[in-house]
C-alpha cells in the first residue's frame, strides 16, 4: 500500500445505521438482512460496519479529504455481517482494501486493480483469476435495465423465488444468481457490457488496454454486477480457484455517484475490498504459511534474586537495541529455566547470579553445541548484536 502511495485510514467500528442504508443501498443483501444493528442509549440506531466504503466516504466528506486532488487511502479492519457461518464466511471477518477518490480516468481503475493483484503476486499466490466488467452509468443503465427486465419477464414464473423478487428491486443481480435454473434461463440474457453508452464503452476499452500493457491477465465477465445504483463503469472480482464455494478473494469497482449521494460534491471514486481470512485460507492451501514462529535469541536465566534483578533490566536494554530475548517471570528454579529456554528454542542462554555480577563476567552458552564464551558487561550488547547478525 505504501509503495502505491496509499495512506492508512481508520474509522470507528460502528456508524449510524442511516449511513449504510444510504451508502450500500436498502435493497442489498447486506442492508436488507445482514447488518448488526442496535439502538444506543439515546435511541440512535447504530450498525457495526459491514464494509468500509461508506465509512471512508463519510470520513472523506466530514474531514475535507477532498482538499487533495486524488485522495488515496487503504484500510485493514474487522467487518460484521450476520450470515450463516461456513468455510470462508464468518460473522466477524477482516477486510483490507483501498479507495482512490477524485479521479475519473481508467488509469485510476487500472492502478486499483494492479494494487490488488500485486498483493497476491507478492505473496506468491497462484491460481487467481481477475474478472472485469462494466456496469454502465446513469445515462446508459436505465435503458438496459428495462431491456433486461422485459427479457426476464417472459420467464418470470420459472425463476427462483429470490430472483422473482429481484426482478422488481434489482434485476441486474439475477445475472449473478447461484441458482442452476436461473443460470440456464439467463444464459442468453442481454448484458450491460454490450449496451454501454460511448463514454462508458471508451472507459472500459481503455481500462482493458491498460491492464494488457501492465501484463495483468483478465477475463471479461458480463455477469459481474455490484448490483448497486451508485456503482458505475468498472466492476471486478478476483477469484481464488482453490477456495471452493466462497471463492471471491476480493471485489471492487467504480462508484462515481456515492460521494454526492452521501452529501459531498460530485466526485468520482474507485476501490476494492479483500477478505483477509480467505487470503489466509488460500495461503494455507498453497503452503505459503510455513513461517516458523519467531524464537528469542537469548534467554536470560537467573541463579538467584540478584540475577533476577539483573535479568529484568538487561532484557529491557537488549530489547531497546533490537535484540529479542526472554527471561523467567514465574520465579522458576534455574533448572526449570534452562528447560524453558530449550522449549522456546532460544539460541543462547546467559546465566546470571551474584557470582557473575561480582566478577563482572557472564557466560554466553550456545544451546546448539553447549560451547560457552565469556563476556564482560561492557561488551554484552556488542556480542549479542554479532550473534544476531550471524543469523
Ligand atoms: P464484498 O464487500 O461482499 O464484496 O466482499 C469483499 C471480500 O470480502 C470478499 O471477496 C471476501 O473475500 C470477503 N468477505 C465478504 N464477506 C465475508 C464473510 N462473511 N466472511 C469472510 N470473508 C468475507
Amino acid at each position: 500500500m505504501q509503495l502505491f502511495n496509499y495512506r492508512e485510514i481508520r474509522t470507528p467500528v460502528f456508524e449510524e445505521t442511516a449511513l449504510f442504508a444510504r451508502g450500500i443501498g436498502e435493497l442489498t443483501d447486506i442492508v436488507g438482512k445482514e447488518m448488526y444493528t442496535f439502538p444506543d442509549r439515546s435511541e440512535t440506531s447504530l450498525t457495526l460496519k459491514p464494509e468500509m466504503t461508506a465509512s471512508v466516504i463519510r470520513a472523506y466528506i466530514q474531514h475535507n479529504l477532498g482538499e487533495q486532488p486524488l485522495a488515496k487511502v487503504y484500510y485493514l479492519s474487522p467487518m460484521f455481517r450476520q450470515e450463516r457461518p461456513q468455510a470462508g464466511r464468518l460473522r466477524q471477518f477482516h477486510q483490507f482494501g483501498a479507495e482512490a477518490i477524485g479521479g475519473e480516468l481508467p488509469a485510476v481503475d487500472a492502478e486499483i486493480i494492479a494494487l490488488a493483484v500485486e498483493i497476491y503476486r507478492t505473496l506468491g499466490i497462484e491460481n487467481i483469476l481477475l474478472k472485469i466488467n462494466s456496469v454502465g452509468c446513469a445515462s446508459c443503465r436505465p435503458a438496459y435495465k428495462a431491456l433486461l427486465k422485459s427479457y426476464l419477464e417472459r420467464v418470470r414464473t420459472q425463476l427462483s423465488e429470490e430472483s422473482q423478487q429481484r426482478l422488481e428491486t434489482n434485476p441486474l443481480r439475477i445475472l449473478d444468481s447461484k441458482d442452476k435454473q436461473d443460470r440456464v434461463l439467463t444464459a442468453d440474457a442481454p448484458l450491460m457490457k454490450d449496451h454501454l453508452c460511448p463514454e462508458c464503452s471508451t472507459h472500459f476499452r481503455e481500462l482493458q488496454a491498460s491492464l494488457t500493457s501492465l501484463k495483468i491477465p483478465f477475463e471479461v465477465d458480463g455477469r459481474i454486477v455490484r448490483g448497486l445504483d451508485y456503482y458505475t463503469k468498472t466492476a471486478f472480482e478476483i477469484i481464488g480457484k482453490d477456495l471452493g464455494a466462497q471463492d471471491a478473494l476480493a471485489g471492487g469497482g467504480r462508484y462515481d455517484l456515492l460521494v454526492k449521494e452521501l452529501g459531498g460534491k460530485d466526485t468520482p471514486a474507485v476501490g476494492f475490498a479483500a477478505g483477509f481470512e480467505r487470503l489466509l485460507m488460500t495461503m494455507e492451501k498453497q503452503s505459503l504459511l510455513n513461517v516458523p514462529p519467531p524464537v528469542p535469541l537469548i534467554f536470560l536465566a537467573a541463579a538467584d534474586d540478584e540475577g533476577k534483578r539483573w535479568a529484568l533490566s538487561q532484557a529491557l536494554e537488549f530489547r531497546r537495541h533490537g535484540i529479542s530475548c526472554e527471561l523467567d517471570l514465574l520465579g522458576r528454579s534455574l533448572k526449570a529455566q534452562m528447560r524453558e529456554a530449550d522449549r522456546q528454542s532460544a539460541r543462547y542462554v546467559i546465566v546470571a547470579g551474584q557470582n557473575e555480577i561480582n566478577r563482572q563476567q557472564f557466560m554466553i552458552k550456545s544451546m546448539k553445541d553447549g560451547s560457552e564464551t565469556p563476556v564482560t558487561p561492557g561488551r554484552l550488547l556488542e556480542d549479542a548484536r554479532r550473534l544476531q547478525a550471524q543469523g
Side-chain angles (χ1 to χ4, degrees):
M1 297 293 188
Q2 280 166 6
L3 288 174
F4 279 71
N5 199 24
Y6 284 69
R7 311 247 315 256
E8 185 177 8
I9 187 165
R10 293 188 191 183
T11 69
V13 165
F14 55 80
E15 299 268 355
E16 287 189 14
T17 304
L19 172 71
F20 299 119
R22 280 183 81 180
I24 304 173
E26 300 276 7
L27 301 177
T28 58
D29 287 351
I30 291 185
V31 175
K33 50 186 188 198
E34 294 170 2
M35 296 200 307
Y36 281 99
T37 297
F38 54 92
D40 71 3
R41 282 168 193 267
S42 54
E43 296 302 316
T44 303
S45 179
L46 301 177
T47 293
L48 298 179
K49 59 185 168 187
E51 58 106 58
M52 266 300 267
T53 306
S55 304
V56 169
I57 298 304
R58 197 255 320 128
Y60 173 88
I61 296 167
Q62 193 173 348
H63 301 290
N64 297 321
L65 300 183
E67 280 168 0
Q68 48 201 322
L70 182 64
K72 306 209 298 184
V73 294
Y74 78 88
Y75 56 82
L76 170 54
S77 175
M79 303 292 163
F80 306 84
R81 293 185 196 173
Q82 193 159 353
E83 298 184 280
R84 196 171 58 79
Q86 52 183 286
R89 184 167 274 171
L90 307 161
R91 292 192 284 194
Q92 174 171 352
F93 59 103
H94 295 78
Q95 282 185 342
F96 61 93
E99 318 281 356
I101 310 155
E104 63 181 358
L105 297 178
V108 194
D109 308 52
E111 176 173 276
I112 277 284
I113 293 176
L115 168 56
V117 170
E118 202 58 17
I119 289 170
Y120 298 111
R121 200 188 67 84
T122 309
L123 292 170
I125 288 169
E126 292 170 349
N127 265 344
I128 66 168
L129 176 63
L130 167 66
K131 292 181 172 181
I132 64 168
N133 190 23
S134 175
V135 295
C137 68
S139 87
C140 54
R141 197 161 47 212
Y144 163 74
K145 226 173 174 170
L147 179 74
L148 178 67
K149 212 171 158 189
S150 72
Y151 181 94
L152 293 171
E153 280 298 351
R154 286 180 288 160
V155 292
R156 171 190 279 273
T157 53
Q158 297 166 59
L159 288 168
S160 66
E161 206 174 306
E162 194 172 34
S163 290
Q164 290 192 31
Q165 277 165 18
R166 283 188 169 145
L167 199 49
E168 303 310 325
T169 56
N170 200 347
L172 265 77
R173 283 292 313 274
I174 298 176
L175 294 175
D176 72 358
S177 163
K178 294 236 151 68
D179 183 271
K180 273 205 186 101
Q181 170 88 342
D182 285 354
R183 291 236 162 217
V184 175
L185 292 168
T186 59
D188 297 318
L191 297 174
M192 184 71 243
K193 70 180 177 65
D194 302 318
H195 298 270
L196 296 172
C197 62
E199 187 192 313
C200 287
S201 176
T202 307
H203 196 278
F204 194 34
R205 225 182 20 252
E206 285 179 11
L207 170 62
Q208 293 179 57
S210 297
L211 293 176
T212 305
S213 76
L214 291 172
K215 299 195 171 58
I216 297 176
F218 65 90
E219 189 180 295
V220 173
D221 181 342
R223 283 166 192 276
I224 303 278
V225 285
R226 302 296 286 168
L228 285 183
D229 287 347
Y230 315 128
Y231 280 105
T232 48
K233 302 192 171 93
T234 312
F236 69 94
E237 260 178 32
I238 298 177
I239 305 296
K241 291 194 239 166
D242 295 339
L243 273 177
Q246 305 300 326
D247 64 355
L249 276 171
R254 179 166 276 287
Y255 49 94
D256 289 347
L257 305 175
L258 183 60
V259 182
K260 192 163 178 207
E261 173 62 32
L262 292 179
K265 291 190 201 130
D266 203 356
T267 311
V270 54
F272 80 91
F276 205 81
E277 287 78 7
R278 289 192 200 170
L279 166 64
L280 292 177
M281 280 168 74
T282 308
M283 291 181 74
E284 204 156 42
K285 281 225 170 88
Q286 299 187 9
S287 307
L288 296 167
L289 276 186
N290 303 333
V291 186
V295 296
L297 180 74
I298 299 172
F299 194 100
L300 302 169
D304 50 31
D305 284 350
E306 197 59 25
K308 272 181 208 157
R309 274 190 289 277
W310 176 85
L312 198 61
S313 65
Q314 187 60 43
L316 182 58
E317 180 71 2
F318 273 153
R319 288 162 175 168
R320 277 188 177 150
H321 290 86
I323 290 157
S324 63
C325 60
E326 186 55 291
L327 71 161
D328 174 56
L329 297 173
L330 301 176
R332 283 171 282 196
S333 69
L334 187 56
K335 211 167 139 201
Q337 291 179 59
M338 296 305 283
R339 266 204 306 275
E340 182 60 16
D342 189 47
R343 194 187 69 80
Q344 294 202 22
S345 308
R347 307 223 321 269
Y348 299 92
V349 172
I350 299 175
V351 177
Q354 189 73 67
N355 275 347
E356 287 77 5
I357 293 162
N358 287 347
R359 266 194 289 134
Q360 291 285 294
Q361 195 183 68
F362 302 97
M363 289 299 195
I364 301 186
K365 180 176 176 183
S366 162
M367 294 296 275
K368 198 164 136 203
D369 56 18
S371 63
E372 291 191 294
T373 318
V375 57
T376 59
R379 288 190 53 92
L380 246 185
L381 206 53
E382 207 178 309
D383 279 19
R385 280 213 183 99
R386 193 173 37 76
L387 293 173
Q388 179 156 272
Q390 282 168 6

